[in-house]
Amino acid sequence: MERRAFLRAVGSASVVGLAGCIGGRGANTDYDIGMGAKVFRPERFEVTPGTTVTWLNTSKQGHTVTAYGESLPDGAAYFASGGFDSEAAAREAWGSGTEGTLFEGQSYEHTFETRGEFPYFCIPHESMGMVGTIVVTDDPSTEE
């Protein structure tokens, strides 16, 4: 094979192979929200009621998915990686032993039944702006 033809083929394959690693959900991924070094991708994700959202730690750093408890819609179930029933419990468990941490390649999922906005954050990276929002609506506009 000619060198240029080989480089074109390898270059195209590399871009396709990386497609699921650099953004949110692609056609061949098994998650909705990726976790980068200090960011959720996408930061805002819209779904219909009854949808299960999956977060995947796509970085080498440990992260959490932790709901802001006081900001959840009335009647909504609390969610946090580690299965905690409140924001205070999640923060305390992480602080005393990093419980609830998702390491590279690990995922967490939650089914959203109640309409509204669900703000959440990563405990160790909250101060660096690692926050996101799930919007549960009858007419989602999030592009996949």
Side-chain angles (χ1 to χ4, degrees):
M1 176 183 277
E2 181 181 294
R3 182 174 183 262
R4 288 185 183 166
F6 174 78
L7 291 174
R8 276 194 305 268
V10 171
S12 298
S14 297
V15 170
V16 171
L18 289 173
C21 299
I22 57 177
R25 186 179 187 135
N28 296 319
T29 60
D30 56 355
Y31 64 96
D32 300 296
I33 300 171
M35 297 179 213
K38 294 180 180 55
V39 67
F40 291 106
R41 289 187 199 113
E43 289 181 16
R44 180 181 172 90
F45 192 68
E46 296 185 10
V47 298
T48 56
T51 300
T52 299
V53 174
T54 302
W55 288 262
L56 176 69
N57 186 346
T58 55
S59 79
K60 296 192 182 302
Q61 297 181 349
H63 297 293
T64 70
V65 175
T66 311
Y68 283 111
E70 292 185 14
S71 298
L72 297 179
D74 290 341
Y78 185 78
F79 65 98
S81 53
F84 304 104
D85 59 3
S86 71
E87 181 182 341
R91 286 183 185 274
E92 182 179 330
W94 189 87
S96 64
T98 66
E99 289 182 50
T101 300
L102 300 172
F103 295 99
E104 183 178 15
Q106 293 182 319
S107 63
Y108 167 74
E109 62 181 34
H110 178 76
T111 302
F112 292 87
E113 302 289 350
T114 306
R115 286 168 188 77
E117 292 196 7
F118 294 78
Y120 65 93
F121 63 102
C122 171
I123 294 173
H125 303 114
E126 177 184 22
S127 66
M128 294 168 227
M130 190 168 180
V131 296
T133 304
I134 302 296
V135 178
V136 181
T137 177
D138 291 326
D139 187 27
S141 64
T142 301
E143 292 184 23
E144 292 187 17

